[in-house]
Amino acid sequence: MFKNILTLVAAVIGVMSSAGIASAVDVPVVGNVEAKCVIVTDTPGVYGNPTPSELSTDAADGGVTPIIRYDVIQANFYKAVITTPVSFSSSPTLSDVVNWQGLVEVSNVSDAGMSAYDNDKRTYENVTEFDLTIAGSTWFKATTKADYGYNKAFPSGTYRAVVNAECIAL
């Protein structure tokens, strides 16, 4: 019996060796990608309160418009996607609807050719997209306005909202 088991094991090992199956190993490969598109908050936004029912980042309304800078190292590989708010991230309790408006525009550029970004932008709902076709820095301003209900005043307190800025690889 022991002799038969040894013969069987030897036969299996022989078949495996003749088939070239000795062992197998998965070897990991790792790569790191450094950002070629960097987003920086240049100016944080501040809401002004020009009327009791309105909050606005427009300077004419007493606000400060947020400015976002995109630094692009490699042209034609990224798009800027900037989303203006449609709700407050924190606020006092509100009992009525808030109507939102947002506008994203180029405010400054490091290369004159970037001025065309405003003409070529795509806007849908509260999202604006810009193809970043030139290497360098572009500053975008994101003006937002919130109107509260019909003939209602915003309750006193602190209101916060977020402009989301992304750099999407194409």
Side-chain angles (χ1 to χ4, degrees), residues 47-56 61 88 94 96-101 144-156 159:
Y47 279 117
N49 188 207
T51 67
S53 63
E54 183 181 324
L55 293 172
S56 171
D61 295 332
F88 292 111
L94 301 173
D96 207 340
V97 173
V98 177
N99 295 305
W100 291 86
Q101 295 175 20
T144 65
K145 182 178 175 181
D147 288 310
Y148 186 50
Y150 175 74
N151 244 2
K152 286 204 169 183
F154 276 109
S156 63
Y159 292 79

Side-chain angles (χ1 to χ4, degrees), residues 24-137:
V25 175
D26 290 332
V27 178
V29 178
V30 177
N32 293 315
V33 176
E34 293 184 21
K36 303 283 190 274
C37 179
V38 178
I39 304 168
V40 178
T41 300
D42 192 64
T43 305
V46 177
Y47 279 117
N49 188 207
T51 67
S53 63
E54 183 181 324
L55 293 172
S56 171
T57 60
D58 193 329
D61 295 332
V64 176
T65 303
I67 306 289
I68 304 120
R69 187 182 80 223
Y70 280 74
D71 297 327
V72 177
I73 308 303
Q74 190 76 39
N76 291 312
F77 283 91
Y78 301 95
K79 69 178 176 179
V81 179
I82 302 173
T83 307
T84 56
V86 293
S87 65
F88 292 111
S89 54
S90 69
S91 70
T93 302
L94 301 173
S95 61
D96 207 340
V97 173
V98 177
N99 295 305
W100 291 86
Q101 295 175 20
L103 176 64
V104 179
E105 300 172 292
V106 173
S107 67
N108 201 359
V109 295
S110 65
D111 183 298
M114 295 171 175
S115 298
Y117 287 175
D118 262 338
N119 296 332
D120 300 332
K121 70 183 174 183
R122 294 170 304 284
T123 302
Y124 52 94
E125 297 172 0
N126 62 319
V127 178
T128 305
E129 295 183 357
F130 301 86
D131 292 327
L132 302 173
T133 57
I134 300 171
S137 298

